[in-house]
Amino acid sequence: MSVYKTDNINELIKDNPYVGRGIIIGKSKDGKKAAFAYFIMGRSENSRNRIFEETPEGVFTKPFDVSKVEDPSLIIYSAIKSIDNKTIVTNGDQTDTIYDFIKAGKSFEESLETREFEPDAPNLTPRISGMLTFNDNDFTYKMSILKSGDAEGTVCNRYTFSYNPLPGLGHFIHTYNHDGNPIPTFTGEPERVEIPDDIDTFTNDIWTGLNENNKISLYVRYIDLETKKEENRLINKNK
């Protein structure tokens, strides 16, 4: 199999019941748009009791039914925020850490040196993060995963991947390889996936590919690199 094989996101995830939370970043096939997506899944009632909400400050997770919230610490957070020429997307409150470091003139990598995987033993869920940086009608992007080096959570290993975009290519990083108990952590490099020109095609490919029982919410954004016009799609299973 070629190391440059690129998968359709729907085909990649449709038979996997639990990939957890996922970030995809890349460039549309026509080379005109930056694209990213973030989705959340959940197995417990507490995790499934969520929606995405978009505000002028960004995209946030919030409870669908406030009366059913058990522990908000790892499920309620700012998922997407922008600062200067950068857009940050993560699966936890490290969004705010990255934002604060960038605001202080520091780097994506420096910010994540201060964070580690989630304290949710035995799963020790990885923290995954992405950042797009826009310059001269183009962009670059970085992705990161912070994960435990052993089953006990003794150490945190930090991996960062930096990309120059190619038309039609995106990279997909998610928290888990598949379902299990404990859930096996994502391994290897971010997976190569196709980024179509049409945002609705991409949104549908992701949403219909995610396991029906476990999917919760999806947010997709396409940014025209010349005009900076944004197109956004938001889907919440809980309505």
Side-chain angles (χ1 to χ4, degrees):
M1 182 183 297
S2 169
V3 295
Y4 301 112
K5 182 178 183 292
T6 304
D7 292 299
N8 176 279
I9 185 64
N10 187 278
E11 292 293 321
L12 189 62
I13 63 178
K14 70 178 184 179
D15 296 321
N16 190 336
Y18 203 61
V19 293
R21 285 165 276 174
I23 298 170
I24 306 167
I25 306 176
K27 181 182 275 190
S28 62
K29 191 173 182 180
D30 61 12
K32 295 180 178 180
K33 296 173 182 175
F36 71 86
Y38 176 56
F39 64 78
I40 58 174
M41 306 179 77
R43 302 189 305 175
S44 69
E45 184 177 4
N46 191 48
S47 290
R48 291 176 176 177
N49 180 36
R50 287 185 289 173
I51 59 172
F52 282 166
E53 180 177 75
E54 187 171 19
T55 76
E57 287 73 42
V59 177
F60 299 82
T61 63
K62 62 177 292 186
F64 174 63
D65 184 341
V66 177
S67 69
K68 293 182 178 179
V69 174
E70 298 169 14
D71 177 10
S73 62
L74 294 176
I75 66 168
I76 307 302
Y77 53 88
S78 170
I80 300 167
K81 295 178 81 170
S82 295
I83 178 171
D84 300 329
N85 63 333
K86 304 179 189 299
T87 297
I88 303 156
V89 52
T90 90
N91 73 327
D93 63 12
Q94 72 269 25
T95 303
D96 295 323
T97 304
I98 298 168
Y99 181 95
D100 290 342
F101 269 66
I102 296 298
K103 188 174 182 179
K106 298 181 180 180
S107 70
F108 180 77
E109 290 85 352
E110 286 176 296
S111 68
L112 293 170
E113 284 291 334
T114 70
R115 303 303 305 269
E116 60 178 35
F117 51 87
E118 296 181 359
D120 62 342
N123 295 318
L124 303 174
T125 300
R127 291 189 186 272
I128 55 172
S129 308
M131 186 173 76
L132 299 83
T133 300
F134 297 89
N135 279 306
D136 300 324
N137 293 336
D138 208 348
F139 73 109
T140 57
Y141 59 101
K142 295 183 178 183
M143 306 184 94
S144 165
I145 184 167
L146 314 179
K147 59 184 182 178
S148 178
D150 59 15
E152 291 72 40
T154 305
V155 296
C156 179
N157 295 332
R158 299 174 174 86
Y159 304 85
T160 302
F161 305 89
S162 298
Y163 299 102
N164 291 301
L166 290 170
L169 175 65
H171 289 91
F172 172 37
I173 195 167
H174 41 103
T175 50
Y176 309 120
N177 279 335
H178 51 76
D179 206 354
N181 192 22
I183 320 173
T185 292
F186 177 87
T187 53
E189 293 185 20
E191 296 163 312
R192 294 165 60 94
V193 297
E194 300 167 355
I195 306 292
D197 292 336
D198 180 62
I199 188 174
D200 291 313
T201 298
F202 190 46
T203 302
N204 184 69
D205 282 348
I206 300 170
W207 188 247
T208 59
L210 292 170
N211 180 270
E212 182 63 31
N213 293 326
N214 295 323
K215 66 185 179 183
I216 301 171
S217 296
L218 167 67
Y219 185 87
V220 181
R221 179 179 295 170
Y222 273 38
I223 306 103
D224 188 295
L225 293 169
E226 183 175 351
T227 67
K228 306 302 185 288
K229 180 183 177 182
E230 296 179 359
E231 283 188 277
N232 304 316
R233 300 290 185 269
L234 189 158
I235 302 175
N236 287 313
K237 188 175 180 181
N238 294 315
K239 298 179 181 179

